[in-house]
Every structure is written in C-alpha cells, then in structure tokens.
Amino acid sequence: MFDSRINKSKAWKKLESHCKSMRKVLMRDLFEKDSKRAQKFMESLDDTIILDYSKNRITDKTMSCLMDLARSRHLEEKIKAMFRGDKINITENRAVLHIALRNRENRPIKVNGKDVMADINAVLKKMRQFSEDVRFGKFKGYTGKKLVNIVNIGIGGSDLGPYMATEALRKYWMKGINCYFISNIDGTACAEVLNKVDPETTLFIVASKTFTTIETLTNAKTCRKWLVDALGEPAVSKHFVALSTNAEEVAKFGIDTNNMFEFWDFVGGRYSMWSAIGLSLAIAVGMDNFEKMLEGAFAMDKHFAETELEHNIPVILALLGIWYNNFMGIHRYAVIPYDQYLQYLPSYLQQLDMESNGKFVDVNGDYVSYATGPVLFGGAGTNVQHSFFQLIHQGTEIVPCDFIAPAISHNEIGNHHEILLANVLAQGEALMRGKTVKEAAEELKAAGKSKEEVEFLKKFKSFAGNRPSNMILLKKVDPYSLGALVAMYEHKVFVQGIIWNIDSFDQMGVELGKKLTLNILPELQNASAELKHDSSTNALIKLIRDFRK
Ligand code: G6Q
C-alpha cells in the first residue's frame, strides 16, 4: 500500500518550502520578465480545447515540484489501473469505467474477466434505434400521435449530466422536440412541467441507477398517474421508459423491461451522462451528435492516458488546484463559462467535483490531515460579473477562476460575441495585473478629480491583482468539444483524488440524506407519532404539523 501520509512526503515538503518563496511573487512581474510565458504555460487538444494557464502564481519550478508530487503518488500507474478496469472504487469494490462508455476504438475492457464492450455497444445500438424511432415518429404515443415532449425524471447524477448537456447542445435539437427535466421532490417541479405538456405527445424517461430514489420514484408515480388518468393503463408502455441498472425494481414500478435501457454498476451516477442516462439528449440532438460527444470525450481520454504529465491538460489543471488548495491555503474555485448554452455547467461540475472529492477519510480508512475537495461555484459570464465578481476582484478571499469561452458563437448576432469575448479576456487580465494605489491615483487625476478626491478614493479604486485564472478556449461549443470539456474535468477530479489518496467514486454523504428523510416522513404524516429528535427538530416538526392542520 502507498504511504497515505502524503503531506509528510519529500515531494510535499519541497512544495511547502517552494510555496514560501512564491508568496510575494507577482504574476505581473513574471509576465514582464518572460515574454514567452504564455507559450510556455499553454497546452491544447487538437484545435478543440486550448488551456492557457499562464495567469497562475507559478514558475517552472512550481510545475516541476507539482509533477514530482504526482509521480510520487504513482499517478501514471493509477491512470492505467482505471483504464484497465481495476476495482479502484474500493469502498464499493467496483471498477470505474465511464471511459468504457466512450471507448470508440472498442479496445476490450474486462470486468471480472468479461469484456464490457459488447453490452455497451448493444445499449448504444438500442438507443440509436429508439431515439430515431421517436424523432421520426415511428415510435408513437398510445393514441397514434408523435411524441414531441421528452420529460426526463431523475435527480443528481441521473439529471445534472443530461440537463447540462441538453442545454449546452440546444442549438442541435430537432425542430418540434422539447425537453423537460423533473428532479426536485418539490411538487412544483412536477406540476410546472405537467402544466406545459399534453399526455398524448409526452414521453417520460425515468432515469435512476438504483430505481429506489424517493424523489425520482415519487415524481415518476405522479406522472404515471397523470398519464393513466388521461389515457388509461394500457398507454403506459407507449409513454414510459426506464434507464437503470435495476430491472427488478423497474418491473415492480410498472414499466415493461423491454422499455428499459441498461447501464452497469461500473458507471457512477455523476459519470453517467455518456450511458443510457443520456437518452433524452440522444432524442433531442440525434444519436450521431450523441456519438460525436462520445468521440470528443474519447479524444480527451486518449490525451489523458497517453500524454506525459507535463503536457497533460487534466493533470495540469488538477495540480494547479492542489497548489492553491494544499499549499496556498485557497480552498475554493469558480467556473465561469462565457457561453449561455453552458449555463448549467457549474452546477454539473459542483456535483462532479464536490461529491467525488469531498471526503475526509483516505483509502486506508484513516482521517486525512490535509485539505481535500475545494468548494466550487460559478455561473455564466457576463452575468456573474455583475454579482459575485466584486468579491473576486476586491474581496479578502482569493478565488481562482476557470474561464471557458468559445471563439465562435452559434449566434453571431451583431457584435454580441466580440463584446462577450472582450469581457472574458479583460477579466483575466485585470485579475492578474490588478491596479496599484498609485495607478488608481493617476487614473483619478487624469479623470479630473480634485486632490482630496484622489486621496480619498485611490484605495477604493485599487485592485490587489495577482489573482489566478485559467482560460479554457474552445473553437465552438459543439457535441465534440462538449465531450472533451466534460471528460477533461472528470479526469482532473480523478487526479486530485489520487493525490489526496481518497476514493473519488463513492458518495456516502449523499446516501445518508436518502435514509434520514425516511425517519422523519412518517412523523410528518402521523400527527400523533412520538418525536425522539433534538429539541429543535421536534419543535420544527410540531410547527409544521400545526401549519398543515
Ligand atoms: C451520483 C450520486 C447521486 C445519484 C442520485 C440519483 O454519483 O450517486 O447523485 O446519481 O442520488 O440516484 P439514482 O440514479 O440511483 O436514482
């Protein structure tokens, strides 16, 4: 077993001492001293994704120390283990094979001695057939009408991926088809969608790996009843399909298992948008586009598996995150896509990153003594420039940012896109350079302010700068680049899990939530049930009972 006290290792100690010497180094000086800095700290995957990481508080030495840390954690071997299908999800004794879902060269990948590619290809084929039948009106609703409203019912990993990707690829939707997503148990989520659609033209896709999740099953039951009330029980098989690993529960729920699209326990929920969980997306954009997304992810997989660490995009991103989180004491970061179609990417990445690496026990079962997963937040630019960017520029907290922007827009209307791009570039530059008090004073003077005004305002108008950002430039947001982008973040999260020696593929915290609800639910439903919680919870239950009398 590898030593889990990673923060006592030579590589870690070297980074700690290097970090001391970097505390006062200013990026603006590094740029002045080295005219080739941008070229040096830039990598690309074909012309799909370019990563400019030069606006980070790093030097050549920082990167080489970080690479040493990665090698001391046997990163290259661990990458091979994942691609081989080893059971690296140790708490659940499972392989981690989202990469198999987009293994476009069909290299055999074995789990328990069996090649999984045949099953994966069979489900892709079934998805192609079904999505085309729905898109072209061959698979019709019970009354013979075309199914034009696609409603995905799922939560967490069974919602966020298809929701994010469907929005990202909205430009590729087939004309006449509309997609809706119901996730929250709040009846409002269900009611609002059901108000918009017509039972005769609606297909419900119940997406649940376990098929036991209370939110999804409750929402699915409500939708099933709504449909049966309108069209009768025999209509169900024409309006309900399931995406799951659990055929038994699907049948128990009342969905014909012929209408089930399978996936497997080696696909984690938050890594499942490449599987049958992507069916709503496949129907909206067509299977050709869905497969282009898989190809983009496959290109990133190959890059990740085959490129030396120094030029490996996910590895670089991961190590930069480690640098800030574990050495500079910055435990947060923001993802800001400058593209309206990518507006749900931050929420998607919140789950991917925080559910994977928000862990305090390492793979040996010991508590860690160093920071693991950071807090991630974000939103679409330029909107967020008018909200939380104040803190990013002048707050006391430093928030490294990932800016994501496509060079070409799907909607080249007037000069909108150039203004958008000018904004993202300006933000990165301003965060890096900042504005000294002296520069602020000079600007105020030049703007005709009085001496007193200059003196009073100069600090308010100054920016500390030296605030890090990555620029992730895409040519365009299309199925291929989206696949590559998402796979890039998946692998980044994987690398960080390896450095921190944690299992990035379980989610015990999420499972706790699922159980706790079941204790309280009967106490809300039965007003005379005895309450045995803390005094706050007991009081709140009583108040809610009173309100609902
Ligand atoms: C993801 C998590 C979690 C899961 C949901 C839904 O990795 O495990 O977000 O996806 O809890 O679970 P089901 O798909 O089983 O309904």
Side-chain angles (χ1 to χ4, degrees):
M1 212 63 198
F2 301 121
D3 184 2
S4 75
R5 291 165 310 146
I6 57 161
N7 55 347
K8 306 282 179 298
S9 71
K10 225 169 105 187
W12 191 280
K13 294 278 168 209
K14 209 167 141 196
L15 273 158
E16 275 176 346
S17 97
H18 171 63
C19 184
K20 280 187 198 138
S21 69
M22 285 296 291
R23 289 235 168 246
K24 294 219 164 98
V25 173
L26 296 179
M27 283 190 271
R28 58 152 71 183
D29 294 341
L30 295 174
F31 270 100
E32 249 157 57
K33 270 188 225 143
D34 181 2
S35 60
K36 300 224 164 72
R37 183 173 169 86
Q39 283 150 270
K40 195 192 295 173
F41 296 125
M42 194 175 291
E43 295 295 341
S44 65
L45 172 71
D46 319 319
D47 64 353
T48 310
I49 289 189
I50 295 165
L51 167 67
D52 171 7
Y53 64 103
S54 60
K55 293 193 190 81
N56 279 289
R57 293 169 64 177
I58 54 164
T59 60
D60 289 332
K61 181 159 180 209
T62 320
M63 291 316 290
S64 88
C65 291
L66 286 167
M67 295 298 161
D68 288 348
L69 175 67
R71 292 203 165 90
S72 77
R73 299 289 310 129
H74 307 271
L75 177 61
E76 285 141 316
E77 276 170 48
K78 304 273 182 147
I79 295 173
K80 286 197 184 98
M82 174 168 73
F83 278 76
R84 223 173 19 229
D86 289 10
K87 295 191 174 169
I88 59 170
N89 176 356
I90 49 133
T91 59
E92 296 175 318
N93 193 29
R94 288 177 181 168
V96 172
L97 282 177
H98 41 284
I99 56 107
L101 301 168
R102 61 238 188 174
N103 168 21
R104 306 302 291 164
E105 63 191 5
N106 261 315
R107 172 181 63 84
I109 301 178
K110 289 190 180 161
V111 175
N112 300 327
K114 185 187 167 221
D115 184 4
V116 296
M117 290 315 298
D119 286 348
I120 288 173
N121 290 329
V123 173
L124 284 174
K125 200 170 156 202
K126 189 170 170 187
M127 284 172 73
R128 174 173 287 278
Q129 184 67 53
F130 184 74
S131 58
E132 280 174 7
D133 287 352
V134 172
R135 283 161 67 82
F136 300 109
K138 208 167 145 203
F139 185 98
K140 290 188 173 60
Y142 183 63
T143 57
K145 288 198 179 159
K146 189 170 188 264
L147 295 166
V148 291
N149 300 306
I150 313 301
V151 181
N152 188 84
I153 306 171
I155 196 163
S158 300
D159 166 71
L160 287 162
Y163 186 37
M164 175 277 293
T166 304
E167 183 62 22
L169 301 180
R170 187 177 268 276
K171 201 71 189 178
Y172 297 80
W173 288 19
M174 184 182 213
K175 214 168 163 233
I177 284 196
N178 276 312
C179 290
Y180 303 88
F181 290 82
I182 301 177
S183 55
N184 202 333
I185 186 63
D186 185 340
T188 303
C190 218
E192 283 299 325
V193 172
L194 295 182
N195 279 341
K196 287 188 196 110
V197 298
D198 167 4
E200 288 183 272
T201 56
T202 301
L203 175 70
F204 293 97
I205 299 179
V206 187
S208 176
K209 182 173 169 181
T210 55
F211 232 79
T212 56
T213 306
I214 189 165
E215 289 93 334
T216 301
L217 292 193
T218 308
N219 281 323
K221 262 183 217 148
T222 301
C223 293
R224 195 181 188 286
K225 182 173 181 307
W226 176 84
L227 183 96
V228 170
D229 286 350
L231 304 178
E233 186 67 30
V236 172
S237 66
K238 291 287 172 198
H239 293 265
F240 269 82
V241 299
L243 320 174
S244 188
T245 57
N246 193 343
E248 209 182 310
E249 288 297 327
V250 169
K252 247 196 249 167
F253 178 84
I255 296 180
D256 187 344
T257 46
N258 288 326
N259 281 358
M260 171 177 154
F261 295 78
E262 193 193 3
F263 63 113
W264 310 271
D265 70 4
F266 56 75
V267 180
R270 56 194 172 278
Y271 299 88
S272 65
M273 62 178 247
W274 324 96
S275 72
I277 289 292
L279 186 65
S280 49
L281 174 65
I283 295 174
V285 304
M287 201 60 192
D288 286 348
N289 281 321
F290 187 85
E291 289 188 349
K292 272 188 203 145
M293 183 182 81
L294 299 184
E295 271 150 30
F298 177 60
M300 184 55 78
D301 293 345
K302 268 183 100 66
H303 167 87
F304 180 55
E306 293 169 10
T307 309
E308 66 168 331
L309 302 187
E310 279 73 4
H311 298 286
N312 196 311
I313 295 174
V315 172
I316 292 168
L317 283 173
L319 293 175
L320 291 169
I322 299 275
W323 174 236
Y324 294 120
N325 198 27
N326 295 104
F327 299 97
M328 292 238 168
I330 301 169
H331 307 299
R332 62 203 81 83
Y333 79 106
V335 177
I336 324 284
Y338 277 71
D339 184 279
Q340 190 67 21
Y341 289 125
L342 292 179
Q343 61 178 316
Y344 301 132
L345 185 70
S347 314
Y348 171 81
L349 293 178
Q350 257 176 344
Q351 183 194 27
L352 176 67
D353 198 325
M354 291 163 79
E355 196 169 285
S356 297
N357 285 342
K359 314 273 165 78
F360 59 55
V361 177
D362 72 11
V363 296
N364 302 321
D366 294 326
Y367 292 117
V368 299
S369 53
Y370 41 82
T372 61
V375 173
L376 189 168
F377 65 100
T382 60
N383 292 7
V384 296
Q385 285 176 209
H386 300 265
S387 60
F388 61 71
F389 261 52
Q390 168 60 35
L391 184 147
I392 292 193
H393 281 288
Q394 289 190 310
T396 51
E397 302 288 334
I398 291 181
V399 185
C401 296
D402 279 2
F403 294 123
I404 303 169
I408 301 167
S409 167
H410 282 289
N411 299 297
E412 294 278 351
I413 305 168
N415 58 355
H416 285 235
H417 199 60
E418 277 143 20
I419 298 175
L420 183 78
L421 292 174
N423 267 282
V424 65
L425 294 172
Q427 290 299 327
E429 188 175 26
L431 285 168
M432 183 277 286
R433 282 191 58 77
K435 192 184 284 173
T436 62
V437 177
K438 197 168 154 236
E439 286 166 349
E442 275 158 16
E443 257 184 40
L444 286 162
K445 230 185 279 167
K449 298 285 178 198
S450 70
K451 208 171 156 210
E452 292 71 32
E453 282 173 320
V454 171
E455 273 313 298
F456 178 65
L457 286 174
K458 65 184 184 187
K459 281 191 195 145
F460 292 101
K461 295 273 190 186
S462 71
F463 295 84
N466 220 22
R467 302 198 167 200
S469 65
N470 290 311
M471 178 70 185
I472 297 155
L473 187 65
L474 313 177
K475 189 168 172 190
K476 198 169 184 174
V477 177
D478 59 22
Y480 189 89
S481 65
L482 179 72
L485 181 71
V486 175
M488 176 188 86
Y489 276 108
E490 285 178 346
H491 296 322
K492 173 201 160 174
V493 166
F494 168 81
V495 172
Q496 294 189 330
I498 295 302
I499 305 283
W500 292 323
N501 205 27
I502 54 178
D503 184 342
S504 300
F505 300 102
D506 61 11
Q507 54 282 317
M508 309 296 179
V510 171
E511 280 150 32
L512 171 76
K514 293 187 184 185
K515 284 189 196 122
L516 291 179
T517 311
L518 297 179
N519 294 338
I520 293 188
L521 183 60
E523 296 167 356
L524 286 174
Q525 286 166 334
N526 174 5
S528 55
E530 195 191 345
L531 303 178
K532 288 183 184 161
H533 306 275
D534 57 87
S535 60
S536 158
T537 310
N538 285 347
L540 289 168
I541 293 175
K542 280 186 201 141
L543 280 168
I544 292 172
R545 280 175 177 171
D546 288 348
F547 272 129
R548 291 176 62 83
K549 259 182 202 160

